[in-house]
Amino acid sequence: MFLIGGREEWDAIYSIIFDGKLVRGSDSWLFDSVQFGDSCEPRCNQDDESLVEFFMYTDATRIDEVGYQYEWDLNRVSNNSSASVVSGVVPIGPGTSPLTHKIMCTPKGSCSSFYISAPNVTTEVVRLVIDDNSTSWENATYSNVTVNETLSFTTVYALALVMDNVTYRKVTWRAPYDGFGSASDNQTTNMGSCTVGGLCDEQTQDMFDLELRTPAKYEGASIDTYKMGWNFGFIEYDDRDWRSQSLLRDSGYNDRGYDLDSTYGVIECVPKDGCDLSFNMTPESPVESYTVKKNGIQLDDRQEVGPEFLEKLMTPFGQNCSPTIQLQTNRCLGLL
């Protein structure tokens, strides 16, 4: 098996040639794995299993100082409950590779959820601390104090579900939570054939399902994430002004770049009957095609709305809650 990965979406060419034949090649990649040879066996039972690949690359700055591990769990989700299919850890520290690759098999046609959590790693450090009895900064005295501090790491990981050739997440993940909103202690990625009754609370939630396809040819080797430009959210009116809020955004699922001739998906539970919920795509986006489903039903009402600098291709998802919305439609639907 050939395995390649890194922190950035590289515009660098690699080729794998076996017995004089090109097996795989790419001029833009973040992660990839290739199995080749005469004695290769299918990695999952092709009749009733689907292949899930998990890639993770860490560039944590203190791996030489302390060892730790990430915990992950692949679950099969049904009837709003989950059962573990397989679980494991990603060890990080001295003597370990920064690149991790896991192959997992899950029942074909099932709804799967991949959960990964960051460790809470502390280490003793010596800090210079001002003495309590100091009365002013000018005459302050300091002492060396040993304290426990939580280490912060930056991790890049991608997750792909191969049964549909769909990538569900490819992001920079900063963990654990740093208190400033730019990191999180864990992440959950939903994949596969999910239903609102199996994944969500039907009383309070709807299921949002996005699938988009990139073109086979483009001006570059890959597509920058900012050019795709989509979000899912709502607008409220409070008798004075419009307020927009994005519940889901493109960068939360892919901030590393889109490969050409590839499919990407997002499956999430969202608030039920939210006011003016809609999916919004930048009209100039180089996407080849995309579909939006609500509770498994494809939504085909697609409108080009908003002033030029807020122009969006809008797919309505929720209901109108404002009595004045008919008078303000064009302004309302220019959701950022």
Side-chain angles (χ1 to χ4, degrees), residues 167-332:
T167 299
Y168 286 92
R169 203 183 291 270
K170 188 168 74 170
V171 297
T172 301
W173 178 37
R174 292 174 175 84
Y177 178 65
D178 58 6
F180 297 99
S182 62
S184 63
D185 292 329
N186 54 72
Q187 268 190 351
T188 299
T189 303
N190 303 314
M191 309 174 293
S193 301
C194 299
T195 65
V196 61
L199 182 65
C200 309
D201 179 357
E202 289 188 274
Q203 299 300 315
T204 60
Q205 295 176 320
D206 289 320
M207 192 180 76
F208 170 81
D209 187 347
L210 167 68
E211 186 169 292
L212 61 86
R213 181 77 185 173
T214 57
K217 295 182 179 180
Y218 186 64
E219 59 190 31
S222 62
I223 302 173
D224 291 336
T225 53
Y226 73 89
K227 293 184 177 181
M228 298 302 284
W230 68 262
N231 67 62
F232 175 82
F234 65 90
I235 286 181
E236 294 179 321
Y237 186 67
D238 63 359
D239 296 327
R240 292 175 299 174
D241 199 5
W242 297 97
R243 296 174 298 174
S244 63
Q245 179 177 340
S246 294
L247 302 181
L248 309 174
R249 186 176 288 276
D250 47 9
S251 59
Y253 301 89
N254 188 340
D255 64 2
R256 313 312 301 166
Y258 290 83
D259 298 322
L260 302 184
D261 197 23
S262 301
T263 303
Y264 294 82
V266 175
I267 301 174
E268 293 288 1
C269 297
V270 298
K272 193 176 188 67
D273 297 329
C275 294
D276 308 312
L277 278 169
S278 63
F279 172 79
N280 308 280
M281 172 72 77
T282 304
E284 294 77 18
S285 169
V287 63
E288 181 178 89
S289 63
Y290 67 90
T291 60
V292 178
K293 294 180 181 180
K294 178 180 181 179
N295 300 334
I297 300 174
Q298 184 170 327
L299 304 178
D300 296 319
D301 182 11
R302 191 174 300 173
Q303 309 166 20
E304 189 166 337
V305 296
E308 183 176 355
F309 65 95
L310 294 177
E311 194 172 7
K312 298 287 181 181
L313 286 175
M314 189 274 294
T315 302
F317 193 91
Q319 64 177 349
N320 291 339
C321 301
S322 170
T324 60
I325 192 151
Q326 197 63 37
L327 300 176
Q328 306 267 4
T329 299
N330 286 340
R331 184 183 180 191
C332 167

Side-chain angles (χ1 to χ4, degrees), residues 113-124:
S113 179
F114 184 88
Y115 174 85
I116 184 169
S117 61
N120 184 14
V121 181
T122 60
T123 185
E124 288 188 350

Side-chain angles (χ1 to χ4, degrees), residues 25-277:
S26 176
D27 57 1
S28 178
W29 48 269
L30 180 66
F31 298 106
D32 201 3
S33 70
V34 184
Q35 181 178 255
F36 58 92
D38 297 332
S39 60
C40 292
E41 296 288 340
R43 291 179 282 188
C44 295
N45 186 324
Q46 296 177 321
D47 293 331
D48 54 19
E49 290 182 326
S50 298
L51 177 69
V52 178
E53 285 191 89
F54 167 63
F55 298 90
M56 179 170 169
Y57 179 87
T58 177
D59 60 356
T61 58
R62 301 186 180 181
I63 60 175
D64 292 332
E65 297 180 17
V66 60
Y68 55 96
Q69 62 186 23
Y70 291 82
E71 297 182 352
W72 58 264
D73 194 359
L74 178 66
N75 293 282
R76 182 180 181 183
V77 183
S78 179
N79 298 322
N80 205 24
S81 62
S82 62
S84 179
V85 176
V86 61
S87 61
V89 299
V90 179
I92 306 294
T96 62
S97 171
L99 178 60
T100 298
H101 177 230
K102 301 292 183 182
I103 296 174
M104 298 161 278
C105 299
T106 188
K108 187 178 289 294
S110 64
C111 177
S112 298
S113 179
F114 184 88
Y115 174 85
I116 184 169
S117 61
N120 184 14
V121 181
T122 60
T123 185
E124 288 188 350
V125 296
V126 177
R127 299 296 185 197
L128 197 60
V129 178
I130 189 171
D131 290 339
D132 292 337
N133 58 359
S134 296
T135 57
S136 66
W137 289 104
E138 294 81 3
N139 300 316
T141 57
Y142 296 84
S143 302
N144 288 325
V145 177
T146 301
V147 296
N148 286 324
E149 289 189 355
T150 300
L151 301 185
S152 180
F153 315 104
T154 299
T155 301
V156 178
Y157 87 90
L159 187 63
L161 185 63
V162 181
M163 71 172 174
D164 296 318
N165 294 315
V166 178
T167 299
Y168 286 92
R169 203 183 291 270
K170 188 168 74 170
V171 297
T172 301
W173 178 37
R174 292 174 175 84
Y177 178 65
D178 58 6
F180 297 99
S182 62
S184 63
D185 292 329
N186 54 72
Q187 268 190 351
T188 299
T189 303
N190 303 314
M191 309 174 293
S193 301
C194 299
T195 65
V196 61
L199 182 65
C200 309
D201 179 357
E202 289 188 274
Q203 299 300 315
T204 60
Q205 295 176 320
D206 289 320
M207 192 180 76
F208 170 81
D209 187 347
L210 167 68
E211 186 169 292
L212 61 86
R213 181 77 185 173
T214 57
K217 295 182 179 180
Y218 186 64
E219 59 190 31
S222 62
I223 302 173
D224 291 336
T225 53
Y226 73 89
K227 293 184 177 181
M228 298 302 284
W230 68 262
N231 67 62
F232 175 82
F234 65 90
I235 286 181
E236 294 179 321
Y237 186 67
D238 63 359
D239 296 327
R240 292 175 299 174
D241 199 5
W242 297 97
R243 296 174 298 174
S244 63
Q245 179 177 340
S246 294
L247 302 181
L248 309 174
R249 186 176 288 276
D250 47 9
S251 59
Y253 301 89
N254 188 340
D255 64 2
R256 313 312 301 166
Y258 290 83
D259 298 322
L260 302 184
D261 197 23
S262 301
T263 303
Y264 294 82
V266 175
I267 301 174
E268 293 288 1
C269 297
V270 298
K272 193 176 188 67
D273 297 329
C275 294
D276 308 312
L277 278 169

